[in-house]
Amino acid sequence: MRLGINLGYWGLGMDADNIAVAQEADRLGYDVCWAAEAYGSDAATVLSFVAAKTERIDVGSAIFQIPARTPAMTAMTAATLDTLSGGRFRLGLGVSGPQVSEGWYGVKFDKPLARTREYVEIIRKAMSRERLVHQGANWTLPLPDGPGKPLKLTVHPVREHIPLYIAAIGPKNLEQTGEIADGWLGIFFAPEHAALSVDPLAAGRAKAGLTLDGFDLCPTVNLAVGEDVKAAADGLRSYAALYIGGMGSKEKNFYNQLTRRMGYEQAADEIQERYLAKDYAGAAAAVPHDLIDATALLGTKERIADRMQAYADAGVTTLTLAPSGFGLEERVTALRTGIEALELAGLA
C-alpha cells in the first residue's frame, strides 16, 4: 500500500508550510501529493508550484471541479501539468455540490452522472490528441453551423495515459467511477464499512469487463498522532461536523447520506440540525467518537499501523493522509509517523 499527502486548500495562512510538507513527503518517499479547490484557491496553480519545488512525488488534483472548466480546458490543464512535472500528474475530478456549482460557477447541478461520463469521454478524446468531435447532451464540439472546426491538442503529454480519478460517494456514482476511471478518491472511508464503496466500484469495473486489479482505491484519511486517542479524535470533530452537517443543503448532503449508510442515522440528523442552526459547537459534540475513530488514523504509531493494515485488507491501494494541526512541526512529525507505521505494518 502506498501513501499520499493531501495539502487541502491553499490560502489558509500556511502556504509556505505546505511547500515544506510536500518537500518532506517527497523526501520520505510518499507517492502522491494532492491539492483541493472549492471557491478559493484553484488546484492547478498550486500543483504547478508544488511540482516545481519537488523531484519525485506525483501531484494530483483532488479535485478539479467539473462545473469550473470545460472538458477541453481540463484536458489542456492536465496535459500541461503532466509536461511541466515530467510525467507526475494525476487528474482527479468531481462534480462538486449544488451550492457551489450553482452559487459559484452558475452551472445547473442536474444529471451529475451523465455530465461526468460525457466530461470524461471528451477529456480522454482530447488527451489522445484526436481531432475533437463530440455530440452529447451537455457539449457539442465543434458547434454546428458556425466557423468552428475540429482541433486537436498541440501539447504532447509525457505519458500516453494520464491516470484519471473520480471523487464519488453515492452508490451509482461509485459504480460509474469503477466503469470509466482509473482510480477513486474517497472520504470518510472506514475499513469496517468498505463494502459500501468497494462493492459498487467492483460492479462498475465488471461492467467494463475489468476487475479491481490495477484500479487505485485512494481514500483520504485524517491523521492525528498522540497517546490520547480521545483527544486526537476531539481535534477532528469540527471537521467532521462541517462535512456531515454543513456541506450542501438539508435535502442534499452526500456526506450526511454516507454517514447514514454507515449506521449513524440519529447522529447524522442531530449533527445536521445543529450545524444548520449555527450551533457549530453542538454539532461537533454530536459527532460520535466511534465514527471519527473508524474514519481516521488516531493514536500511537503502533495503533496507526494496526489501522493501516485494516485499510490494506479492505483493498485500499493508496492511503492519502491529511495530518491534523496547523503547525509545520506537527504536520511533518505526522508525515514521518505515517511512513514508520507503514513500515511497522509491513506494508511499505
Side-chain angles (χ1 to χ4, degrees), residues 9 23 40 108 139 179 185 216 228 230 241 256 285 313 345 347:
Y9 301 110
Q23 289 172 327
K108 191 72 175 173
W139 293 277
E179 184 183 356
L185 299 173
D216 195 10
D228 189 336
K230 184 180 182 302
N256 189 281
D313 291 344
L347 298 170

Side-chain angles (χ1 to χ4, degrees), residues 29-310:
Y30 276 67
D31 204 52
V32 59
C33 176
W34 303 95
E37 64 182 21
Y39 42 94
S41 59
D42 76 286
T45 306
V46 171
L47 292 172
S48 64
F49 191 46
V50 171
K53 296 287 187 178
T54 54
E55 297 178 2
R56 294 172 299 278
I57 195 169
D58 280 7
V59 292
S61 55
I63 55 169
F64 282 165
Q65 298 191 86
I66 285 174
R69 302 170 180 84
T70 66
M73 183 68 227
T74 296
M76 290 167 57
T77 304
T80 305
L81 280 166
D82 198 56
T83 302
L84 290 175
S85 66
R88 291 188 283 143
F89 179 63
R90 304 186 193 183
L91 174 58
L93 302 170
V95 292
S96 189
Q99 290 182 323
V100 174
S101 182
E102 299 190 13
W104 186 250
Y105 298 116
V107 175
K108 191 72 175 173
F109 190 82
D110 60 349
K111 300 180 180 177
L113 292 179
R115 181 180 293 270
T116 300
R117 182 181 289 272
E118 194 174 341
Y119 199 89
V120 169
E121 182 181 334
I122 297 171
I123 287 172
R124 291 208 190 277
K125 188 177 292 185
M127 290 198 299
S128 71
R129 304 192 67 250
E130 298 178 35
R131 291 201 177 273
L132 192 52
V133 177
H134 177 85
Q135 289 189 345
N138 298 286
W139 293 277
T140 299
L141 300 166
L143 287 174
D145 305 321
K149 63 180 183 179
L151 300 172
K152 68 178 181 180
L153 186 69
T154 60
V155 176
H156 292 253
V158 174
R159 295 163 296 169
E160 290 186 5
H161 184 84
I162 295 173
L164 188 150
Y165 294 69
I166 295 174
I169 296 175
K172 291 181 179 178
N173 197 359
L174 285 160
E175 184 173 320
Q176 179 171 275
T177 296
E179 184 183 356
I180 68 175
D182 303 306
W184 166 65
L185 299 173
I187 188 171
F188 291 113
F189 180 86
E192 294 77 12
H193 299 281
L196 292 173
S197 304
V198 176
D199 286 358
L201 287 167
R205 298 295 283 172
K207 271 189 176 180
L210 300 167
T211 70
L212 286 172
D213 289 344
F215 185 83
D216 195 10
L217 270 72
C218 182
T220 291
V221 299
N222 288 301
L223 171 65
V225 181
E227 296 289 335
D228 189 336
V229 173
K230 184 180 182 302
D234 287 346
L236 299 174
R237 286 186 174 279
S238 295
Y239 169 86
L242 167 64
Y243 278 81
I244 299 167
M247 285 288 193
S249 64
K250 183 174 179 60
E251 294 75 26
K252 189 168 287 189
N253 179 322
F254 305 121
Y255 310 97
N256 189 281
Q257 292 164 8
L258 174 61
T259 303
R260 293 172 181 278
R261 290 195 295 274
M262 292 169 65
Y264 295 95
E265 295 92 343
Q266 184 175 345
D269 280 340
E270 183 178 357
I271 294 163
Q272 186 177 65
E273 182 179 342
R274 289 180 178 275
Y275 200 95
L276 295 180
K278 301 188 185 306
D279 178 11
Y280 304 128
V287 179
H289 171 84
D290 289 349
L291 175 60
I292 300 172
D293 196 18
T295 56
L297 296 171
L298 309 173
T300 63
K301 176 175 65 178
E302 291 75 18
R303 191 175 192 272
I304 290 167
D306 287 342
R307 289 299 290 167
M308 283 185 171
Q309 182 64 62

